[in-house]
Amino acid sequence: TVESATGGQVTNKDPLNKTFNIYRWNPDKPAEKPHLQQYQVDLNACGPMVLDALIKIKNEQDSTLTFRRSCREGICGSCAMNINGINTLACLAKIDRNASNTKIYPLPHMYVVKDIVPDLTHFYKQYKSIEPFLKKKTAPKDGEREHYQSIADRKKLDGLYECILCACCSTSCPSYWWNSDEYLGPAVLLQAYRWMIDSRDDYAQERREALQNPFSVYRCHTIMNCTRTCPKGLNPGRAIAMIKKEMALE
Amino acid sequence: MFHIKNDNWIGRVSAFQATKTLENGAEYIKGTVNEAVVLPPKDKVAGSYHWDFERLLSLSLIPLTITSVVNGAHPITDLCLGVILPFHCHLGFDAMITDYYPSRRSPVLNKVLTWSLRGATLIALYGCYEFNTNDVGMTELVKKVWHA
């Protein structure tokens, strides 16, 4: 039943119980194999998003369930996980009220810290390697405190700066699965492109040259899982194609 | 799983969580969590030039195939096909070997496969030459099989 916040007439909704199959693994008992644990949740007493169900399970049923979360509005990127086979943010993924169960797995081909928390250390190290900050060759002139940028140049960054580094795209890419040590992956390459085409940055050519090897960019075979799965609607596949194009013409 | 790489606490935590040696995983952490990944050495030949060459061969195959279909067999198009097709296929297979058996992970298998592929491409080149010179030619062969 649903409680009314204002204390008025309450329409009693019948409980709509759905199963959640959640990947569990405990590093304190590493010999126990990872397994799927089932939880029943009344969707009529739960928020609409998968994260709401996870929090409800953790609150009411099993407080050992471990997952990352923060903003609950799709802007921090913490709750990235594989829901029914698709990498998205749990706070943006609506629970399918018609399906009998929802499967929740950690991001694919990532080492698991606990339950559905992946180890993103290598992902962040790769992000650091592309030097995601503004680099200038000349010091600013006396009196000039801003780096000016035209509106047209700023428009080029639209669709690139919004990346929240949730790792959904990189972990959906088969090339990244097989070669994550050396292939940078769509998320990092999107950001590499974002800095390459920033008109305020002076090191575009050096950034391109740093990627001149068979692995960093060229393991991309335009599989396009990345663009398909991005929860923010960005297009890493296109950014990678633009990097290849700029590198090809050098 | 419990290899301790650094003395500091952060290094120990990351070593527990993610350190895998080269033998049993595709991914491993080199250095501490705060060090950036080191990109491989720059090599334009293996980088953008390789990619350019791949696309050049692929693009050239389009008009070549169309003229062969429309015009029928011709010694020059057969010659071009007999050279470009084996190279195109070689680059395709080589990309697969790099993807699934990269040298950093399977050094021996990578070498074996790469050299077998090179040998196979040479045989294919020779075979195409022989077929184009002393037999009906590639376009004619496709035509015959198609209409058989």
Side-chain angles (χ1 to χ4, degrees), chain A residues 119 125 128 178 181 212 221, chain B residues 18 26 32 34 43 99 105:
Chain A
D119 186 348
K125 284 162 71 84
K128 191 169 182 171
W178 316 140
D181 348 11
Q212 286 284 5
H221 301 303
Chain B
T32 63
N34 286 323
D43 179 10
D99 275 349
R105 197 166 70 225

Side-chain angles (χ1 to χ4, degrees), chain A residues 169-189:
Chain A
C169 60
S170 289
T171 47
S172 69
C173 175
S175 273
Y176 192 73
W177 294 343
W178 316 140
N179 287 308
S180 42
D181 348 11
E182 300 220 319
Y183 175 48
L184 291 177
V188 170
L189 288 171

Side-chain angles (χ1 to χ4, degrees), chain A residues 56-99:
Chain A
K56 188 178 171 70
I57 294 170
K58 192 178 172 76
N59 274 351
E60 298 172 8
Q61 294 183 44
D62 184 356
S63 60
T64 65
L65 179 64
T66 307
F67 50 92
R68 287 196 180 113
R69 83 282 176 267
S70 183
C71 73
R72 96 268 184 265
E73 61 182 2
I75 197 62
C76 72
S78 305
C79 60
M81 53 187 76
N82 187 296
I83 297 167
N84 289 327
I86 296 169
N87 289 354
T88 41
L89 302 171
C91 59
L92 292 181
K94 287 197 260 290
I95 304 171
D96 187 352
R97 297 176 73 89
N98 297 321

Side-chain angles (χ1 to χ4, degrees), chain A residues 16-49:
Chain A
L16 178 62
N17 286 317
K18 295 290 183 186
T19 318
F20 283 80
N21 292 320
I22 304 181
Y23 182 101
R24 303 297 309 274
W25 180 69
N26 189 352
D28 296 327
K29 300 177 193 153
E32 276 182 27
K33 288 199 187 310
H35 57 281
L36 281 180
Q37 193 161 349
Q38 295 205 349
Y39 299 97
Q40 299 288 329
V41 174
D42 175 12
L43 294 189
N44 284 331
C46 176
M49 301 300 184

